[in-house]
Amino acid sequence: MRHGKKVNHLGRKTAHRKAMLANMACSLIEHKRINTTVAKAKALKQFVEPLVTKSKEDTTHNRRIVFSRLRNKYAVTELFRDVAPKVGDRPGGYTRIIKLGNRLGDNADMAMIELVDYNELYNAGKPAKKKARRRGGKGKKAETAPAAPVTEIANSEEE
């Protein structure tokens, strides 16, 4: 029985696994997408999403928590400066895993993991969200003013 065994060990000891996930997370933050195996991508998703959530509020405490997991000050700076403002309105689901097929050498299932808001292909069809306005009388009255009637000139008068 596998009760309470939620961690995918990925065939590594604890220190090796944590170092590998930290390195992969730094690469993901720097390059916005990386190719890896499906199992590592799923483990990386669980590792990096709480860090992105922490980065939405830029405090010294949150920076120290994220730095203790990533151990790379350039990745922490990139996460708080560039990534966090882009995902600030998103409630979760900051990464996307796309399966790519099997690797030629050992037939391992490969996947691409990427930050969602940085993919132009998937975001191209969606229009930019407009800010929701509160219901008030000021905006409606200015927009509903009657326009002057338009008169058309027929082409037959010119001939």
Side-chain angles (χ1 to χ4, degrees), residues 72-93:
N72 184 340
K73 64 180 180 181
Y74 301 111
V76 172
T77 304
E78 175 92 7
L79 180 64
F80 277 85
R81 185 189 307 141
D82 298 334
V83 177
K86 255 194 156 170
V87 299
D89 58 337
R90 184 179 291 274

Side-chain angles (χ1 to χ4, degrees), residues 4 11 13 76 79 99 104-105 109 119-120 129 154 159:
K13 302 285 185 184
V76 172
L79 180 64
K99 295 187 179 177
L104 287 177
D109 287 334
N119 190 332
E120 293 81 22
K129 287 186 178 180
E159 294 176 355

Side-chain angles (χ1 to χ4, degrees), residues 43-58:
L44 180 61
K45 183 174 186 135
Q46 290 177 342
F47 182 85
V48 83
E49 295 225 354
L51 301 181
V52 177
T53 303
K54 286 280 187 201
S55 73
K56 288 162 96 175
E57 185 181 355
D58 192 0

Side-chain angles (χ1 to χ4, degrees), residues 96 119-129:
R96 174 187 297 127
N119 190 332
E120 293 81 22
L121 294 175
Y122 286 102
N123 296 336
K126 298 178 185 173
K129 287 186 178 180

